[in-house]
Amino acid sequence: MGPPTGKEHPTSRMAKVRKKLGETLVGWGIIDANALADALAFAKEHNKRIGEALVELELCTEDDVIKALATQFGLEYIDLDKHAVDREVLGLIPAKMIEDYSVLPLGEDGPRLKVIITDPLDLETLDLLRFKLGREIVPTLAPLSKVKRFIDKFVNPQGDVLSQTMASIDLQAPEEDAEIGSKTLQAEEGDAPIVRLVNLLITEAVHTRASDIHVEPMKDRVRVRYRIDGVCHIRDDIPKHMQGAVGTRLKIMSGMDIAERRVPQDGRIKMKIGGGSIDFRVSALPAYHGESMVLRILRPDSVKVGIPALGFAEDDYQKFLKIIHRPNGIFLVTGPTGSGKTTTLYAALQELNRPDKKIITAEDPVEYNFTGMNQCQVKDDIGLTFAKILRAMLRQAPNIILVGEIRDREVGDVAIQAALTGHLVFSTLHTNDAPSAITRLIDMGIKPFLVASSIQAIMGQRLIRVICTECKVEDPNPNPRTLKLLGFTEAELAGKTIWKGAGCKRCGGTGYRGRVGAFEMMTMNSQIRDLAFNRSTTTQLRAAARASGMRSILEDGKLKILRGVTTPEDLLRVTQAEGVMAETA
């Protein structure tokens, strides 16, 4: 039994007991119980709604989820591919409101106004529409991607040049793709449709503050996503027949071998955008449906933020300055990929970058170039490894050394020897928190007494999103379960205001704009050094660090919530507190 048609969702059904979204989809035969269990686990792990998880895992389509939500909430489902909206009707809601809130007027029903929305739980938008339009609103449902596409096409036809460019490219048969891609894209004409499409894709991503562009081939389409403030957002789908041409164009721009599709490749692109020069690190990875392409956008300004802008609390800020001005020892920054470790270390190096200091870095790869620093690129294919560069560095008489990452015992041993011979060494390590970095180094095979004597401090960090200042509003009903999972007590919350972003054009409707760090700073003392020397557990090291005044990442994030910097939901997203349950609506 498949999903019902839109006409089978009268609003009078709202009063009935609602089945859960997953149960509805299982009942329709769109997913099975095992798929639902996988989606629930994914939603719980990534703090997503079950509908978002199902679509992201490609267990069902966005249309399926919206139809199920329509049934669940007793609303009418509108298929915008088949349902026309008259231009006269569009004038019932101001264009700016349509764009800002992703809603569409559908028609008048006496004194009431029928409106397409994309989220039945977004009661704030419905209240706002009632207030600003002075009318009773009858909500209907349609997928967000289709609503946005309709708005771009009919409400703001100049606003989506990317979709227009895709539409302007002539359709080609799949068997002709490869030949067309290789011939058309060899030319450098700026007006070639695929060239324009790729350039627009890159330019738009830069203007929307994205850090990555993901071009991902699927079975029947090519999905384009932008990572903005650490979270991936679906931009659009490129038709499958354009896959070969787009991939070839990106390879030509980044200097890759366009004939090689069997092995991973890396390249770089340099483009002038908005009056500035921006580098892109490009990666091509052969996947089941074709090569997945990822462009990392390297903005020089993003790592030149300065230490005050990183988001330190005042006490941690003073500790950080004191540590980086020490004459020798190792300072480690830990955290998963994408947690801002490189930005933090570059901020420290810029603070120390003075004519009387010699700074040498070993990086893989060198992403940002800084005046006054000697930066060395690791090239494993010719034997120029971290360890080899480090040994050569010591003969260059540096004051300060940056090692991109301590990956193995050899690099760790050389870094420690450098610290013990009077150098200040900065590096990163992939661990979940600061105390576990000590046990990680010892597990690599580095002698405990060397770890204990050489390390000055270890800092763990995560990046949390900042509430958009344009649409920042008080949250009158913060989720009590989220607050409980974060460990808030009634005393901590007494007299405090929890804030959130309502969503506006400036932040793209997300409610967030920009990111800051949440930190834990573990400064070594005699007790922690003794524990390291005796191979103590991470739990014992953490207890000693807490006793000496270390504030955990979670506690630092809670302070930022109470100061109105971020939301409980976003802190929960990055700290992954135990016991988080998926929202199943």
Side-chain angles (χ1 to χ4, degrees), residues 522 525 527-528 531 539-550:
M522 187 176 85
N525 56 29
Q527 183 187 5
I528 297 174
L531 289 171
T539 304
Q540 292 171 310
L541 288 164
R542 172 168 282 279
R546 294 292 300 276
S548 65
M550 183 187 81

Side-chain angles (χ1 to χ4, degrees), residues 291-304:
E291 286 180 292
S292 172
M293 308 284 290
V294 176
L295 287 75
R296 167 65 60 87
I297 303 172
L298 306 175
R299 293 181 175 87
D301 292 342
S302 67
V303 289
K304 295 179 180 177

Side-chain angles (χ1 to χ4, degrees), residues 207-363:
H207 289 156
T208 56
R209 303 179 301 106
S211 59
D212 303 270
I213 306 170
H214 298 261
V215 182
E216 303 162 316
M218 303 290 168
K219 181 180 179 181
D220 56 350
R221 69 194 191 283
V222 180
R223 184 172 67 181
V224 176
R225 295 193 292 173
Y226 298 154
R227 187 182 295 278
I228 303 171
D229 293 332
V231 177
C232 282
H233 300 272
I234 295 176
R235 170 55 182 92
D236 214 335
D237 290 334
I238 295 175
K240 188 69 174 177
H241 70 270
M242 296 186 196
Q243 177 178 323
V246 170
T248 303
R249 176 60 186 167
L250 287 171
K251 284 185 173 183
I252 289 171
M253 294 175 73
S254 55
M256 297 182 191
D257 181 358
I258 63 172
E260 181 56 78
R261 299 185 180 184
R262 300 165 300 168
V263 297
Q265 295 188 71
D266 293 302
R268 288 182 84 103
I269 299 172
K270 195 177 190 74
M271 287 181 67
K272 285 190 176 295
I273 298 175
S277 183
I278 296 179
D279 284 347
F280 300 83
R281 195 177 75 204
V282 187
S283 170
L285 178 69
Y288 186 74
H289 294 296
E291 286 180 292
S292 172
M293 308 284 290
V294 176
L295 287 75
R296 167 65 60 87
I297 303 172
L298 306 175
R299 293 181 175 87
D301 292 342
S302 67
V303 289
K304 295 179 180 177
V305 295
I307 297 173
L310 295 176
F312 285 113
E314 183 58 31
D315 55 344
D316 281 344
Y317 176 66
Q318 296 302 330
K319 286 181 190 175
F320 185 80
L321 288 179
K322 186 176 178 182
I323 290 162
I324 67 174
H325 281 95
R326 290 182 179 177
N328 55 42
I330 294 180
F331 177 52
L332 286 176
V333 180
T334 73
T337 301
S339 59
K341 301 186 295 294
T342 302
T343 300
T344 298
L345 289 181
Y346 276 141
L349 289 183
Q350 289 174 81
E351 173 74 16
L352 301 171
N353 190 11
R354 300 290 182 268
D356 61 331
K357 302 282 188 185
K358 175 154 185 172
I359 302 174
I360 305 181
T361 74
E363 303 169 66

